[in-house]
Amino acid sequence: MKITALLVLKAAPETSDPVILANASDVSHFGYFQRSSVKEFVVFVGRTVASRTPPSQRQSVQHEEYKVHAYNRNGLCAVGFMDDHYPVRSAFSLLNQVIDEYQKSFGESWKSAKEDSTQPWPYLAEALTKFQDPAEADKLLKIQRELDETKIILHKTIDSVLARGEKLDSLVEKSSDLSMASQMFYKQAKKTNSCCTIL
Amino acid sequence: MQARHGQSSYRDRTDEFFGIVETLRRSIAPAAENNVAHGGGGRREDPRSAVANQSEFRKRAAVISLAINQTSQKLSKLAQLAKRSSVFDDPTREIQELTAVIKQEISSLNSALIDLQAVRNSHNDERTISRDTTTHSATVVDDLKNRLMDTTKEFKDVLTLRTENMKIHEIRRQRFTSNPSKESTNPFVRQRPLASKPAATQPAPLPWATTSSSSSSSSSSSSSSQLVPRRQGEAESSPLLQQSQQQQQMVPLQDTFMESRAEALHNVESTIHELSNIFTQLATMVSQQGEIAIRIDQNMEDTLANVEGAQSQLARYLNSISSNRWLMIKIFFVLIAFLMVFLFFVA
């Protein structure tokens, strides 16, 4: 359940390579010497996948042990490198969110970019950390999870209510016995009091 | 050459056709020779080339009419498929392929017909041909044009019929899947995930006038509607060969994506229903137990009353016991009297 990298690219028409607009990667779990090569690999594969994704389409490619999901919307392309366990739907909703955020914050300036921009975009970095848990990205998944938890809690509640019912039943019996006994007691007392001429 | 209306009857008359072509060619050749005899040797080239041109014209016209026949046959097949389509067994792919093929054929026929007309005009301008030949070729071209127009009209009708059927299916499916307890109809939803959402199916535009305009409109509408994640890029109403190839690759992926979202939504909905069931059960049980609690309460009140009454009785008894001493003295005297009597009798 891990996101390794998120990229935003400008997918130029078929001839030229896509231009990287933002890049965030999490290479902390690789060894120190492999980190730069992994970053290069991410950049290269991201460019390739983005150039092959036709506009207004989503695409998922399996590359070694990563799944690369790409979403191209009118030339602005978001690419994510995730492992196999990450649910596909959350990945695409995450890419949707990233593109929306990018368009909101940068407007249309990306269309004129001609070379890779190296400025880090903080939103992407924090998105990378926040969305390691796929439930954050996909609201549906979150809702489903909460509903399941609620259902479990409700099942426990019903069990305890059933136990309460049993206890209440036993209490009813005991209280009815008690009232019988007290009635007998009262009758006896009255009887002893009425005939008072014995001793 | 005689143009036949080969749409209503399916009979192979190509041999007859070729025979008539031969006889006409033979009849034209002597007529050309007669022209040569009249006009001198200098015109020997022209009639032969005229003959050649006429036969070329006829060959082309023959090819076009054959193609029109084939197209109309395919169209009848498509009409049958469109009529037959039921809710479950949807031959979408075949219909799409057939539609694409027919559209391509119609457009190529159109262009071929235009070429034919241009050829005829150029031949007419180059040399003097008899008036009959010009009227004949004009009639032939007009006839072919009319047949092509009829075929196109039928094609359009078939497409509208198809879209109406689709709409009916959608309505039926909405009726079924809007009731969530009927989980058994989910396979139908999964079969047509795009249709289960209220997608507006566009009526089939005229296949002649469309090409690029409809492709751009479908792609722009799909891109604009992406904010609401519905894929309206279903290449169904006007599949264009350039895009349909790609889209038929992409649309399955869109389908799985949207399908998974639809499935997740259904799961959420059913979970919420189960939760509501559980809550109602819980409420029933708690109300029943409330009644039991009330009974217990009454029992306890009865017990309390009894015990209090008994306690008062005993208190009175105690009082009577403690205040009845002089009666006891009397009883004791009687007892002592009895004892003395006994003592007297024994001793």
Side-chain angles (χ1 to χ4, degrees):
Chain A
M1 295 288 212
K2 194 162 166 14
I3 308 183
T4 306
L6 287 174
L7 295 173
V8 179
L9 304 100
K10 172 184 135 186
E14 308 303 328
T15 51
S16 53
D17 261 343
V19 173
I20 293 191
L21 300 167
N23 183 348
S25 27
D26 173 23
V27 285
S28 49
H29 62 283
F30 291 110
Y32 180 70
F33 295 108
Q34 293 172 333
R35 280 182 197 176
S36 57
S37 64
V38 164
K39 281 198 180 144
E40 288 296 320
F41 153 79
V42 156
V43 163
F44 174 66
V45 172
R47 262 202 245 265
T48 322
V49 171
S51 63
R52 299 260 172 85
T53 312
S56 317
Q57 296 290 348
R58 301 182 166 93
Q59 201 176 9
S60 293
V61 182
Q62 177 83 28
H63 181 88
E64 293 171 13
E65 72 265 14
Y66 293 110
K67 266 212 173 109
V68 184
H69 304 277
Y71 174 45
N72 186 341
R73 183 201 282 184
N74 286 341
L76 191 60
C77 187
V79 178
F81 288 71
M82 286 107 179
D83 67 351
D84 289 335
H85 300 299
Y86 206 88
V88 179
R89 219 177 51 239
S90 333
F92 280 123
S93 58
L94 167 60
L95 293 179
N96 254 338
Q97 280 185 33
V98 164
I99 282 201
D100 288 338
E101 191 62 39
Y102 192 83
Q103 274 186 329
K104 237 186 345 184
S105 53
F106 288 101
E108 299 295 318
S109 62
W110 59 270
K111 284 194 179 145
S112 56
K114 287 281 177 283
E115 48 190 33
D116 299 348
S117 83
T118 46
Q119 301 164 333
W121 182 29
Y123 174 75
L124 206 59
E126 74 182 44
L128 190 62
T129 49
K130 189 164 81 149
F131 293 128
Q132 292 290 342
D133 179 20
E136 288 290 322
D138 194 9
K139 294 283 185 307
L140 279 179
L141 209 58
K142 201 195 265 188
I143 290 175
Q144 184 67 31
R145 213 184 267 185
E146 283 180 2
L147 281 177
D148 289 337
E149 285 175 10
T150 311
K151 205 156 76 152
I152 290 178
I153 291 180
L154 273 181
H155 279 289
K156 282 191 200 155
T157 310
I158 291 227
D159 288 340
S160 50
V161 163
L162 281 174
R164 173 180 183 250
E166 279 180 30
K167 284 182 194 161
L168 277 176
D169 284 337
S170 74
L171 267 182
V172 150
E173 287 195 26
K174 283 186 191 162
S175 67
S176 66
D177 288 344
L178 197 60
S179 91
M180 285 292 128
S182 68
Q183 215 169 4
M184 298 304 299
F185 177 43
Y186 176 65
K187 280 186 193 157
Q188 283 283 22
K190 213 153 103 169
K191 210 166 61 162
T192 14
N193 211 9
S194 62
C195 25
C196 51
T197 54
I198 312 169
L199 278 178
Chain B
M1 185 196 75
Q2 301 194 2
R4 293 185 200 284
H5 216 57
Q7 195 173 349
S8 50
S9 64
Y10 177 55
R11 275 193 294 166
D12 195 316
R13 285 174 144 184
T14 31
D15 297 335
E16 273 181 90
F17 178 65
F18 282 137
I20 290 172
V21 165
E22 286 302 318
T23 47
L24 279 179
R25 200 176 288 162
R26 265 180 255 127
S27 67
I28 284 293
E33 283 170 12
N34 284 344
N35 278 343
V36 170
H38 282 246
R43 293 187 55 203
R44 201 165 293 161
E45 296 292 320
D46 294 337
R48 245 174 251 151
S49 61
V51 167
N53 285 334
Q54 289 289 21
S55 56
E56 181 194 324
F57 171 74
R58 268 198 210 95
K59 262 185 241 166
R60 278 181 162 193
V63 161
I64 288 181
S65 70
L66 195 64
I68 291 183
N69 271 351
Q70 289 174 355
T71 313
S72 51
Q73 278 174 23
K74 283 197 190 121
L75 190 61
S76 59
K77 232 189 290 177
L78 178 68
Q80 218 180 7
L81 275 179
K83 263 181 240 160
R84 179 182 75 92
S85 64
S86 65
V87 179
F88 313 133
D89 187 17
D90 225 1
T92 320
R93 191 164 294 173
E94 292 175 16
I95 289 181
Q96 280 186 20
E97 286 174 8
L98 259 182
T99 322
V101 163
I102 287 179
K103 190 193 289 290
Q104 196 188 17
E105 280 184 1
I106 286 180
S107 46
S108 63
L109 279 173
N110 201 16
S111 52
L113 207 55
I114 292 176
D115 288 342
L116 184 68
Q117 201 168 7
V119 159
R120 187 180 68 81
N121 286 340
S122 66
H123 289 333
N124 282 349
D125 291 338
E126 279 174 19
R127 63 192 64 73
T128 58
I129 312 183
S130 68
R131 198 170 40 92
D132 284 341
T133 331
T134 43
T135 47
H136 166 74
S137 42
T139 325
V140 159
V141 168
D142 286 339
D143 185 40
L144 287 177
K145 263 195 221 164
N146 282 339
R147 281 170 61 192
L148 189 60
M149 252 197 301
D150 290 340
T151 319
T152 320
K153 241 181 264 174
E154 283 199 28
F155 183 50
K156 197 165 59 105
D157 289 340
V158 164
L159 282 179
T160 35
L161 175 70
R162 169 95 179 118
T163 46
E164 279 176 17
N165 271 349
M166 289 287 309
K167 271 187 208 150
I168 293 177
H169 294 338
E170 266 179 54
I171 290 175
R172 270 196 222 139
R173 235 171 245 118
Q174 272 184 12
R175 221 184 284 150
F176 289 148
T177 58
S178 68
N179 190 356
S181 62
K182 286 191 182 174
E183 293 293 326
S184 63
T185 59
N186 262 340
F188 308 142
V189 173
R190 210 156 290 143
Q191 191 190 25
R192 297 296 307 258
L194 300 174
S196 72
K197 303 190 187 188
T201 57
Q202 311 159 9
L206 247 190
W208 284 26
T210 52
T211 58
S212 52
S213 61
S214 70
S215 77
S216 63
S217 71
S218 68
S219 67
S220 65
S221 68
S222 61
S223 62
S224 63
S225 65
Q226 271 176 21
L227 294 178
V228 181
R230 301 178 190 173
R231 293 302 302 168
Q232 296 207 2
E234 34 178 310
E236 189 199 320
S237 50
S238 57
L240 299 166
L241 279 186
Q242 302 97 351
Q243 278 198 352
S244 64
Q245 306 274 351
Q246 285 176 343
Q247 276 187 1
Q248 277 178 6
Q249 255 181 350
M250 284 302 146
V251 163
L253 182 67
Q254 304 293 348
D255 280 358
T256 42
F257 179 56
M258 288 299 137
E259 221 181 87
S260 63
R261 283 181 90 99
E263 195 183 325
L265 271 177
H266 274 285
N267 280 345
V268 165
E269 193 187 352
S270 58
T271 317
I272 293 183
H273 272 282
E274 285 174 20
L275 279 183
S276 80
N277 273 343
I278 292 179
F279 270 116
T280 35
Q281 279 182 20
L282 191 66
T284 326
M285 279 203 286
V286 168
S287 64
Q288 285 172 358
Q289 289 175 1
E291 284 181 22
I292 294 178
I294 288 177
R295 268 167 52 194
I296 293 176
D297 202 20
Q298 274 182 347
N299 280 343
M300 295 313 293
E301 281 177 4
D302 287 344
T303 309
L304 184 67
N306 284 337
V307 164
E308 276 184 0
Q311 189 207 15
S312 66
Q313 293 285 331
L314 284 179
R316 245 193 291 163
Y317 185 59
L318 180 68
N319 276 340
S320 68
I321 288 287
S322 57
S323 62
N324 231 4
R325 206 161 286 163
W326 66 280
L327 199 67
M328 263 200 310
I329 294 169
K330 277 203 179 156
I331 293 170
F332 265 125
F333 275 142
V334 169
L335 267 176
I336 288 168
F338 266 120
L339 270 173
M340 289 181 60
V341 164
F342 270 125
L343 277 172
F344 271 131
F345 275 130
V346 168

